[in-house]
Amino acid sequence: MGCSRDRRGGDDRLREVRRILWGILVLNLAVAGAKLVYGLVTRSLAMTADGFHSLFDGTSNVIGLVGVSIAARPADRGHPYGHAKYETYASAAIGVLLTVAAWRVGAESIQRLLAGGGTPRVDAGSFGVMLATLAVNVAVTTWERRAGIRLKSDILIADASHTGSDILVSLGVIAGLAAVKAGYPIADPVLGLVVCAFIVRAALRVFRSVDETLSDRARLDPKTVEAVALEVPGVLGCHDVRTRGTASHVAVDLHVQVDPEVSIAAGHEIAETVERVLCERFDVVSDVIAHVEPLDDYQKAKSARWSEQA
Protein backbone atom coordinates (compact mmCIF):
# COMPACT_ATOMS: atom_id res chain seq x y z
CA MET A 1 0.00 0.00 0.00
CA GLY A 2 1.08 3.60 -0.40
CA CYS A 3 0.21 6.99 -1.71
CA SER A 4 0.68 7.22 -5.46
CA ARG A 5 0.72 10.94 -6.09
CA ASP A 6 0.92 11.98 -9.73
CA ARG A 7 4.60 12.68 -10.50
CA ARG A 8 3.72 15.50 -12.88
CA GLY A 9 3.19 17.92 -10.00
CA GLY A 10 6.62 17.12 -8.55
CA ASP A 11 8.26 17.32 -11.98
CA ASP A 12 6.66 20.70 -12.64
CA ARG A 13 7.91 21.95 -9.27
CA LEU A 14 11.49 20.86 -9.91
CA ARG A 15 11.35 22.29 -13.42
CA GLU A 16 10.32 25.66 -12.01
CA VAL A 17 13.05 25.49 -9.36
CA ARG A 18 15.63 24.85 -12.09
CA ARG A 19 14.27 27.71 -14.20
CA ILE A 20 14.56 30.10 -11.24
CA LEU A 21 18.10 28.96 -10.45
CA TRP A 22 19.20 29.49 -14.07
CA GLY A 23 17.76 33.00 -14.09
CA ILE A 24 19.41 33.88 -10.78
CA LEU A 25 22.73 32.42 -11.96
CA VAL A 26 22.77 34.84 -14.92
CA LEU A 27 21.92 37.80 -12.67
CA ASN A 28 24.54 36.85 -10.06
CA LEU A 29 27.25 36.56 -12.71
CA ALA A 30 26.29 39.99 -14.08
CA VAL A 31 26.48 41.52 -10.59
CA ALA A 32 29.84 39.86 -9.86
CA GLY A 33 31.23 40.99 -13.22
CA ALA A 34 30.24 44.63 -12.65
CA LYS A 35 31.88 44.73 -9.22
CA LEU A 36 35.05 42.96 -10.34
CA VAL A 37 35.57 45.04 -13.47
CA TYR A 38 35.06 48.40 -11.74
CA GLY A 39 36.96 47.27 -8.67
CA LEU A 40 40.00 46.30 -10.77
CA VAL A 41 39.83 49.47 -12.86
CA THR A 42 39.72 51.74 -9.80
CA ARG A 43 41.99 49.44 -7.75
CA SER A 44 39.34 49.28 -5.06
CA LEU A 45 40.12 46.33 -2.82
CA ALA A 46 36.67 46.49 -1.15
CA MET A 47 34.76 46.32 -4.44
CA THR A 48 37.01 43.60 -5.83
CA ALA A 49 36.53 41.49 -2.69
CA ASP A 50 32.78 42.04 -2.88
CA GLY A 51 32.85 40.95 -6.51
CA PHE A 52 34.56 37.70 -5.59
CA HIS A 53 32.00 37.25 -2.82
CA SER A 54 29.25 37.62 -5.41
CA LEU A 55 30.84 34.81 -7.41
CA PHE A 56 30.00 32.55 -4.46
CA ASP A 57 26.35 33.18 -5.28
CA GLY A 58 26.90 31.91 -8.80
CA THR A 59 28.70 28.88 -7.40
CA SER A 60 25.77 28.15 -5.08
CA ASN A 61 23.40 28.36 -8.07
CA VAL A 62 25.45 25.74 -9.90
CA ILE A 63 25.41 23.52 -6.81
CA GLY A 64 21.66 24.04 -6.56
CA LEU A 65 21.13 23.06 -10.20
CA VAL A 66 23.13 19.86 -9.71
CA GLY A 67 21.26 19.04 -6.50
CA VAL A 68 17.83 19.66 -8.02
CA SER A 69 18.71 17.58 -11.10
CA ILE A 70 19.59 14.61 -8.89
CA ALA A 71 16.52 15.18 -6.70
CA ALA A 72 14.31 14.95 -9.80
CA ARG A 73 15.27 11.31 -10.38
CA PRO A 74 12.42 8.88 -9.68
CA ALA A 75 12.48 6.33 -6.87
CA ASP A 76 14.47 3.17 -7.56
CA ARG A 77 15.52 0.02 -5.75
CA GLY A 78 18.40 1.75 -4.00
CA HIS A 79 16.33 4.84 -3.14
CA PRO A 80 12.75 3.65 -2.57
CA TYR A 81 11.74 7.04 -1.11
CA GLY A 82 13.18 8.92 -4.09
CA HIS A 83 16.12 11.33 -4.26
CA ALA A 84 14.53 14.44 -2.71
CA LYS A 85 17.17 14.71 0.04
CA TYR A 86 19.84 15.51 -2.53
CA GLU A 87 18.25 18.95 -2.66
CA THR A 88 18.97 19.15 1.08
CA TYR A 89 22.58 18.08 0.54
CA ALA A 90 22.93 20.94 -1.94
CA SER A 91 21.54 23.30 0.71
CA ALA A 92 24.20 22.03 3.12
CA ALA A 93 26.88 22.81 0.52
CA ILE A 94 25.55 26.36 0.27
CA GLY A 95 25.76 26.61 4.06
CA VAL A 96 29.43 25.64 3.80
CA LEU A 97 29.96 28.36 1.17
CA LEU A 98 28.36 30.88 3.50
CA THR A 99 30.76 29.80 6.24
CA VAL A 100 33.73 30.20 3.90
CA ALA A 101 32.48 33.65 2.85
CA ALA A 102 32.16 34.67 6.51
CA TRP A 103 35.68 33.46 7.21
CA ARG A 104 37.13 35.39 4.27
CA VAL A 105 35.35 38.63 5.15
CA GLY A 106 36.17 38.29 8.86
CA ALA A 107 39.83 37.39 8.29
CA GLU A 108 40.34 40.32 5.91
CA SER A 109 38.67 42.71 8.36
CA ILE A 110 40.80 41.56 11.29
CA GLN A 111 43.95 41.78 9.19
CA ARG A 112 43.19 45.37 8.24
CA LEU A 113 42.43 46.30 11.85
CA LEU A 114 45.70 44.80 13.12
CA ALA A 115 48.08 45.58 10.28
CA GLY A 116 46.37 48.36 8.44
CA GLY A 117 45.86 48.45 4.70
CA GLY A 118 45.52 50.56 1.63
CA THR A 119 42.69 53.07 1.46
CA PRO A 120 40.30 52.23 -1.38
CA ARG A 121 39.76 54.78 -4.13
CA VAL A 122 36.26 56.22 -3.86
CA ASP A 123 34.39 58.13 -6.60
CA ALA A 124 30.84 58.53 -7.90
CA GLY A 125 31.21 55.46 -10.08
CA SER A 126 31.98 53.33 -7.03
CA PHE A 127 28.68 54.27 -5.40
CA GLY A 128 26.79 53.93 -8.69
CA VAL A 129 27.98 50.37 -9.31
CA MET A 130 27.39 49.31 -5.72
CA LEU A 131 23.88 50.79 -5.56
CA ALA A 132 22.88 49.26 -8.92
CA THR A 133 24.11 45.80 -7.97
CA LEU A 134 22.52 46.16 -4.54
CA ALA A 135 19.13 46.79 -6.16
CA VAL A 136 19.55 43.66 -8.30
CA ASN A 137 20.45 41.56 -5.26
CA VAL A 138 17.47 42.82 -3.27
CA ALA A 139 15.13 41.92 -6.15
CA VAL A 140 16.75 38.49 -6.59
CA THR A 141 16.62 37.65 -2.87
CA THR A 142 12.96 38.67 -2.55
CA TRP A 143 11.94 36.73 -5.65
CA GLU A 144 13.91 33.62 -4.70
CA ARG A 145 12.76 33.52 -1.08
CA ARG A 146 9.10 33.89 -2.05
CA ALA A 147 9.49 31.18 -4.69
CA GLY A 148 11.24 28.92 -2.17
CA ILE A 149 8.40 29.29 0.34
CA ARG A 150 5.74 28.80 -2.35
CA LEU A 151 7.47 25.72 -3.82
CA LYS A 152 8.68 24.48 -0.41
CA SER A 153 12.19 24.25 -1.84
CA ASP A 154 15.09 23.90 0.61
CA ILE A 155 17.58 24.85 -2.08
CA LEU A 156 15.84 28.10 -3.07
CA ILE A 157 15.42 29.21 0.54
CA ALA A 158 19.06 28.40 1.31
CA ASP A 159 20.26 30.16 -1.84
CA ALA A 160 18.14 33.20 -1.00
CA SER A 161 19.94 33.36 2.36
CA HIS A 162 23.24 33.22 0.51
CA THR A 163 22.25 36.04 -1.84
CA GLY A 164 20.91 37.94 1.17
CA SER A 165 24.37 37.75 2.71
CA ASP A 166 25.69 39.45 -0.42
CA ILE A 167 23.26 42.31 0.24
CA LEU A 168 24.72 42.73 3.71
CA VAL A 169 28.25 42.69 2.33
CA SER A 170 27.34 45.31 -0.28
CA LEU A 171 25.73 47.53 2.35
CA GLY A 172 28.86 47.22 4.43
CA VAL A 173 31.03 48.13 1.45
CA ILE A 174 28.87 51.19 0.65
CA ALA A 175 28.96 52.35 4.27
CA GLY A 176 32.69 51.73 4.37
CA LEU A 177 33.27 53.69 1.17
CA ALA A 178 31.21 56.58 2.55
CA ALA A 179 33.23 56.55 5.78
CA VAL A 180 36.51 56.43 3.85
CA LYS A 181 35.33 59.34 1.73
CA ALA A 182 34.59 61.24 4.98
CA GLY A 183 38.10 60.51 6.30
CA TYR A 184 37.52 57.45 8.49
CA PRO A 185 39.25 54.50 6.79
CA ILE A 186 38.98 52.30 9.91
CA ALA A 187 35.21 52.07 9.36
CA ASP A 188 35.79 49.68 6.44
CA PRO A 189 37.19 46.72 8.47
CA VAL A 190 34.87 47.40 11.43
CA LEU A 191 31.81 47.15 9.21
CA GLY A 192 33.35 44.06 7.64
CA LEU A 193 33.20 42.29 11.00
CA VAL A 194 29.56 43.29 11.43
CA VAL A 195 28.78 41.91 8.00
CA CYS A 196 30.66 38.73 8.90
CA ALA A 197 28.34 38.20 11.88
CA PHE A 198 25.26 38.49 9.66
CA ILE A 199 26.70 35.97 7.19
CA VAL A 200 27.32 33.51 10.03
CA ARG A 201 23.71 33.97 11.12
CA ALA A 202 22.50 33.17 7.59
CA ALA A 203 24.68 30.03 7.52
CA LEU A 204 23.23 28.85 10.84
CA ARG A 205 19.68 29.23 9.44
CA VAL A 206 20.62 27.08 6.46
CA PHE A 207 22.23 24.39 8.64
CA ARG A 208 19.19 24.39 10.93
CA SER A 209 16.91 23.71 7.96
CA VAL A 210 19.23 20.94 6.74
CA ASP A 211 19.22 19.35 10.20
CA GLU A 212 15.41 19.23 10.25
CA THR A 213 15.44 17.08 7.11
CA LEU A 214 18.47 14.86 7.69
CA SER A 215 17.55 14.16 11.33
CA ASP A 216 14.04 13.07 10.25
CA ARG A 217 12.30 15.70 12.33
CA ALA A 218 8.50 15.35 12.33
CA ARG A 219 7.02 17.42 9.50
CA LEU A 220 3.31 17.27 10.38
CA ASP A 221 1.42 17.45 13.67
CA PRO A 222 0.45 13.85 14.58
CA LYS A 223 -2.84 15.02 16.08
CA THR A 224 -3.80 16.75 12.83
CA VAL A 225 -2.97 13.66 10.77
CA GLU A 226 -4.91 11.48 13.21
CA ALA A 227 -7.95 13.74 12.98
CA VAL A 228 -7.97 13.50 9.18
CA ALA A 229 -7.64 9.71 9.29
CA LEU A 230 -10.54 9.41 11.73
CA GLU A 231 -12.78 11.21 9.22
CA VAL A 232 -12.57 8.19 6.91
CA PRO A 233 -15.59 5.86 7.26
CA GLY A 234 -14.58 2.58 8.89
CA VAL A 235 -11.64 4.00 10.85
CA LEU A 236 -12.34 3.49 14.56
CA GLY A 237 -8.94 4.50 15.92
CA CYS A 238 -5.55 5.85 14.87
CA HIS A 239 -2.14 5.97 16.55
CA ASP A 240 1.64 5.83 16.01
CA VAL A 241 1.60 8.60 13.41
CA ARG A 242 5.10 9.31 12.13
CA THR A 243 6.26 11.80 9.48
CA ARG A 244 9.64 12.62 7.98
CA GLY A 245 11.29 13.89 4.81
CA THR A 246 11.90 17.26 3.19
CA ALA A 247 9.52 20.20 3.43
CA SER A 248 8.03 19.36 0.02
CA HIS A 249 8.24 15.52 0.13
CA VAL A 250 6.80 14.20 3.39
CA ALA A 251 6.46 10.48 4.09
CA VAL A 252 3.77 9.36 6.55
CA ASP A 253 3.13 6.05 8.24
CA LEU A 254 0.40 5.36 10.76
CA HIS A 255 -1.73 2.64 12.31
CA VAL A 256 -5.49 2.65 11.70
CA GLN A 257 -7.88 0.50 13.71
CA VAL A 258 -10.97 -1.06 12.16
CA ASP A 259 -13.80 -3.32 13.23
CA PRO A 260 -12.29 -6.80 13.85
CA GLU A 261 -15.30 -8.34 12.07
CA VAL A 262 -14.54 -6.74 8.68
CA SER A 263 -12.83 -8.80 5.98
CA ILE A 264 -9.20 -8.38 5.02
CA ALA A 265 -10.29 -6.89 1.71
CA ALA A 266 -12.52 -4.35 3.45
CA GLY A 267 -9.73 -3.40 5.87
CA HIS A 268 -7.35 -2.98 2.94
CA GLU A 269 -9.82 -0.70 1.17
CA ILE A 270 -10.22 1.45 4.31
CA ALA A 271 -6.44 1.80 4.60
CA GLU A 272 -6.12 2.82 0.95
CA THR A 273 -8.83 5.42 1.46
CA VAL A 274 -6.89 6.83 4.43
CA GLU A 275 -3.75 7.06 2.30
CA ARG A 276 -5.57 8.81 -0.53
CA VAL A 277 -7.32 11.28 1.79
CA LEU A 278 -4.05 12.22 3.52
CA CYS A 279 -2.38 12.85 0.17
CA GLU A 280 -5.29 15.02 -0.91
CA ARG A 281 -5.48 16.96 2.35
CA PHE A 282 -1.71 17.67 2.68
CA ASP A 283 -0.13 18.78 -0.59
CA VAL A 284 3.38 18.17 0.79
CA VAL A 285 2.71 14.46 1.44
CA SER A 286 4.22 12.22 -1.23
CA ASP A 287 4.04 8.81 0.45
CA VAL A 288 1.65 7.25 3.00
CA ILE A 289 1.58 3.75 4.47
CA ALA A 290 -1.39 2.85 6.68
CA HIS A 291 -1.10 -0.28 8.81
CA VAL A 292 -4.44 -1.96 9.55
CA GLU A 293 -5.22 -3.33 13.03
CA PRO A 294 -8.40 -4.73 14.61
CA LEU A 295 -9.87 -2.58 17.37
CA ASP A 296 -9.93 -5.06 20.25
CA ASP A 297 -9.44 -4.63 23.99
CA TYR A 298 -5.65 -4.82 23.70
CA GLN A 299 -5.56 -2.17 20.97
CA LYS A 300 -7.95 0.02 22.94
CA ALA A 301 -5.58 -0.04 25.91
CA LYS A 302 -2.56 0.58 23.70
CA SER A 303 -4.28 3.49 21.97
CA ALA A 304 -5.25 5.00 25.32
CA ARG A 305 -1.64 4.81 26.57
CA TRP A 306 -0.37 6.41 23.36
CA SER A 307 -2.90 9.23 23.66
CA GLU A 308 -1.83 9.92 27.26
CA GLN A 309 1.86 10.07 26.24
CA ALA A 310 1.06 12.43 23.35
Side-chain angles (χ1 to χ4, degrees):
M1 289 183 290
C3 171
S4 56
R5 182 182 294 280
D6 188 351
R7 278 189 50 83
R8 287 178 299 178
D11 292 341
D12 290 343
R13 170 189 169 275
L14 291 174
R15 191 178 300 111
E16 185 173 358
V17 170
R18 283 197 294 266
R19 178 180 61 80
I20 292 171
L21 286 173
W22 274 112
I24 293 174
L25 173 60
V26 173
L27 292 172
N28 282 335
L29 291 178
V31 167
K35 293 176 182 177
L36 284 172
V37 170
Y38 200 85
L40 292 173
V41 169
T42 60
R43 296 181 179 180
S44 171
L45 179 60
M47 288 187 65
T48 302
D50 193 18
F52 280 116
H53 178 263
S54 295
L55 282 180
F56 276 108
D57 292 328
T59 303
S60 70
N61 295 145
V62 174
I63 292 174
L65 286 167
V66 173
V68 170
S69 297
I70 298 176
R73 296 176 182 175
D76 53 34
R77 179 172 297 181
H79 301 82
Y81 286 97
H83 299 76
K85 284 189 176 180
Y86 280 95
E87 185 177 341
T88 304
Y89 292 140
S91 299
I94 292 175
V96 173
L97 288 179
L98 278 168
T99 304
V100 172
W103 175 79
R104 291 189 60 182
V105 173
E108 177 68 17
S109 299
I110 292 174
Q111 181 180 358
R112 288 191 180 184
L113 282 173
L114 297 179
T119 301
R121 173 186 164 186
V122 180
D123 55 25
S126 301
F127 289 104
V129 170
M130 292 304 302
L131 290 173
T133 55
L134 177 64
V136 173
N137 281 333
V138 169
V140 167
T141 301
T142 302
W143 172 40
E144 190 172 22
R145 190 177 301 281
R146 289 178 178 175
I149 294 174
R150 174 171 55 86
L151 298 172
K152 296 180 176 63
S153 171
D154 290 342
I155 189 68
L156 288 182
I157 294 174
D159 193 51
S161 295
H162 195 181
T163 306
S165 74
D166 197 40
I167 293 175
L168 296 174
V169 173
S170 296
L171 287 172
V173 171
I174 292 172
L177 291 177
V180 170
K181 188 73 172 177
Y184 301 98
I186 195 174
D188 190 26
V190 171
L191 287 171
L193 290 176
V194 175
V195 170
C196 176
F198 279 103
I199 298 176
V200 170
R201 181 184 178 189
L204 290 176
R205 285 202 304 266
V206 171
F207 287 132
R208 188 178 301 113
S209 176
V210 169
D211 175 68
E212 289 179 356
T213 297
L214 299 185
S215 64
D216 285 337
R217 180 177 178 178
R219 287 293 185 177
L220 299 175
D221 179 18
K223 289 295 185 181
T224 303
V225 175
E226 178 183 337
V228 173
L230 290 173
E231 294 176 3
V232 176
V235 176
L236 304 180
C238 176
H239 63 93
D240 288 350
V241 177
R242 298 186 299 174
T243 61
R244 65 183 179 88
T246 67
S248 60
H249 292 79
V250 178
V252 181
D253 68 80
L254 69 162
H255 292 236
V256 293
Q257 299 163 321
V258 301
D259 188 335
E261 300 298 325
V262 303
S263 65
I264 294 178
H268 178 82
E269 183 177 352
I270 292 172
E272 286 195 329
T273 301
V274 170
E275 294 166 356
R276 185 180 67 255
V277 168
L278 288 175
C279 277
E280 293 173 351
R281 190 69 63 86
F282 304 100
D283 60 354
V284 297
V285 171
S286 60
D287 185 86
V288 182
I289 297 180
H291 306 272
V292 181
E293 299 175 347
L295 184 67
D296 54 23
D297 292 338
Y298 170 76
Q299 294 294 344
K300 289 179 181 179
K302 181 179 178 181
S303 180
R305 288 196 302 270
W306 179 84
S307 298
E308 291 176 358
Q309 292 175 356

